Structure formats: C-alpha cells, structure tokens
Amino acid sequence: DIMNIVVLIPIHNGVDSTISGLDSLYKSIAYSRSNIKIRVLIIDDGSTDESCKMIKKYFQDVEIIQGDGTLWWTGAIEEGSRYAFYRMKASHILLWNNDIQPHQLYMQNLIKIIHSLSDQYRIICSTIMYKENPQVVYSMGGRIDKKTGAFSILNKNMSIDSVDESIYNVDYFGGMGTCISKEIYETVGQFDRINFPHYKGDYDYAMRAGKLGIKMNAHRILQIWN
C-alpha cells in the first residue's frame, strides 16, 4: 500500500499559535525530502478569531473541516480520523496539536519507522519535551501497573540525554505525536466522544487497543516540543 499520512490538528481559536505551529510542521515535512504524501487536516471547532482565513492565507495546502464548537478534542479527532481515512484516503493519521514544534528530522524519522515495521498493528508514539526546558522529557507515553492500576508517565522530567533506550513499549499515550494506521483504526473503532469528550479520549483509545493486543511504542528519535 502507498503511504499517505494525514496530520490531524484540532483547533478552537489560538490563530497565532496555529500559524507558528504549522510553520514548524511544514519545515519538518519539507526537510524529509520524501515522495511520501504528508498532508495537514485542520478540524476547526467553531473558531471566532479568523483562524481559517489566516491559515488559508499562509498555508494553501491545508485542508479544513468545520465543527460548530461542540466537538471538543475527542469529537474533533474522530471527525478528522474518518475524513482522513475515507475522504483523503490516508494510510496513517498523526495526532497533533496546533502549537507543537517538531524536530527538523521528525517526519523523516517517522517515515523510516513506519517503513521498518514488520506489521502495521503498532501505534507509534513520540517523545514530548518542554518548550521552556528543551532537553527535558515531559512524556514518552506511560505504563500501567497491572497489580495496582496506577498510571506512570515514562521518563518524565528526565534529560533526553539520559534516556537510554531508543524504543519503549508503553500502555497508553497522549494525543500528541501519535501515529495510527488505518488497520488499527478499523480494528479498535472510533474515538469515544460520548464518554470522553475532551479529556482522556487518548488514554481510552490506548486501553482499548491494548486489550486487542495492539502494541504501542514510544520512540526517542521522534521529538516534539510542547
């Protein structure tokens, strides 16, 4: 199958952050120098600050779908997922925030990782770091203690230089820098906008994927700042 990645970015106002974030994202896409198709889909959930007008002014290639302010995060990601897979014919979606700054090599590294997978039943997670403290890890996904049910964030507040493994198995992920194939989406099903309209929709999706035996891996070389 031809690889065709669609980056999903839900927005509600915050036009300055969105323009800055898109600038960083497109630099990483351009730097990958790949013939892989990487497109951006904005899900605008009722912005009132001329976000769409400004995005189209500076980034003509961005596709935008409209919400009415009731989608919140999970609804926006679900609407975006369906649109990306079934209208834009994506092979993968990449969950993103409007204010993320990716490493210049992010897209190049992501393409390499997808190519290296023996199967597409793996969710690919990123290393998220602090913008204000750029060498320090905020999250690489997390683990769940099977005995106690306690959640722990992997490598939180560690220096990136002291993160020794290149790939970690994780039990859950946040909604930033997470790549999901069409095969996984069609296996796990929709993001649950009813029970988790804005928070924990990403965790819920990971739990359901894990129960179906789908592996989740956090990669040290997929670095983003938030």
Side-chain angles (χ1 to χ4, degrees), residues 27-191:
K27 281 176 180 164
S28 183
I29 292 171
Y31 196 80
S32 71
R33 298 190 192 89
S34 170
N35 58 0
I36 301 300
K37 197 180 275 189
I38 305 172
R39 291 175 291 169
V40 177
L41 175 62
I42 297 274
I43 307 96
D44 175 26
D45 193 23
S47 292
T48 57
D49 66 352
E50 295 199 321
S51 281
C52 291
K53 182 179 171 186
M54 297 299 287
I55 290 164
K56 276 298 185 188
K57 179 179 176 182
Y58 293 110
F59 303 97
Q60 288 81 16
D61 292 342
V62 169
E63 195 141 348
I64 302 173
I65 57 175
Q66 295 289 344
D68 60 4
T70 64
L71 290 176
W72 299 87
W73 183 86
T74 310
I77 289 294
E78 177 51 37
E79 292 287 326
S81 298
R82 287 207 303 268
Y83 191 92
F85 286 130
Y86 304 118
R87 293 283 294 276
M88 300 173 75
K89 305 301 181 190
S91 62
H92 297 76
I93 53 171
L94 179 61
L95 309 188
W96 210 250
N97 279 14
N98 69 324
D99 56 353
I100 288 173
Q101 291 180 347
H103 192 285
Q104 191 175 40
L105 297 175
Y106 183 93
M107 286 300 174
Q108 186 172 303
N109 289 335
L110 177 62
I111 291 165
K112 281 183 191 168
I113 289 165
I114 294 173
H115 275 312
S116 74
L117 295 179
S118 56
D119 62 72
Q120 290 303 316
Y121 283 94
R122 284 182 184 270
I123 293 176
I124 299 167
C125 307
S126 298
T127 297
I128 304 166
M129 295 190 287
Y130 295 97
K131 273 184 189 166
E132 67 273 17
N133 206 346
Q135 292 299 308
V136 177
V137 174
Y138 168 69
S139 170
M140 290 180 74
R143 301 241 170 95
I144 303 165
D145 187 307
K146 300 289 189 288
K147 290 179 184 172
T148 65
F151 285 64
S152 61
I153 296 175
L154 195 62
N155 295 328
K156 187 172 178 67
N157 294 330
M158 282 178 62
S159 162
I160 189 66
D161 295 331
S162 58
V163 173
D164 48 359
E165 302 290 331
S166 59
I167 303 173
Y168 289 85
N169 291 320
V170 296
D171 298 320
Y172 67 91
F173 53 81
M176 283 185 276
T178 300
C179 186
I180 299 170
S181 69
K182 186 178 181 185
E183 293 93 329
I184 288 173
Y185 179 78
E186 292 187 333
T187 301
V188 178
Q190 298 184 2
F191 288 81

